[in-house]
Amino acid sequence: DYYPKTEVQLCLVHQMRNSAKYVTHTDLREVMKDLKVVYQTPSEQKGLEALELAREKWNKKYPAIFRSWDKNWDRLANIY
């Protein structure tokens, strides 16, 4: 490795698109609005809190979204 301390950040656009593919058209706008809050927060802790709020609201209907966010969180959280 030439840059061993390099952190790879996943693209939020791709994460959001991946999330959107699991959501029905009728819920799409609201789910995307709730997920957008996750990456607009000023800190990782606030981002996690926003993710938990979205999970409480949508996990029963769309659990695949949150499996993906959980799996990728370490590389998504580099935005903070």
Side-chain angles (χ1 to χ4, degrees):
D1 292 335
Y2 292 104
Y3 303 100
K5 294 182 181 182
T6 301
E7 294 183 16
V8 177
Q9 178 186 344
L10 292 183
C11 177
L12 288 166
V13 171
H14 288 112
Q15 182 66 34
M16 293 295 280
R17 285 182 184 164
N18 182 59
S19 298
K21 73 181 182 183
Y22 298 107
V23 180
T24 63
H25 180 70
T26 55
D27 290 336
L28 188 60
R29 184 179 299 258
E30 193 172 352
V31 171
M32 292 296 106
K33 182 179 141 201
D34 291 342
L35 290 175
K36 190 175 179 182
V37 174
V38 174
Y39 65 82
Q40 289 183 329
T41 61
S43 69
E44 182 177 2
Q45 182 59 40
K46 293 289 186 189
L48 284 169
E49 290 170 11
L51 185 60
E52 286 308 308
L53 288 174
R55 184 188 316 272
E56 289 171 15
K57 186 173 179 180
W58 298 109
N59 191 55
K60 193 171 216 172
K61 198 168 185 180
Y62 305 114
I65 291 173
F66 301 98
R67 284 193 299 269
S68 175
W69 280 83
D70 291 342
K71 176 183 168 198
N72 295 316
W73 183 257
D74 288 342
R75 294 188 304 167
L76 291 166
N78 290 344
I79 61 172
Y80 300 109

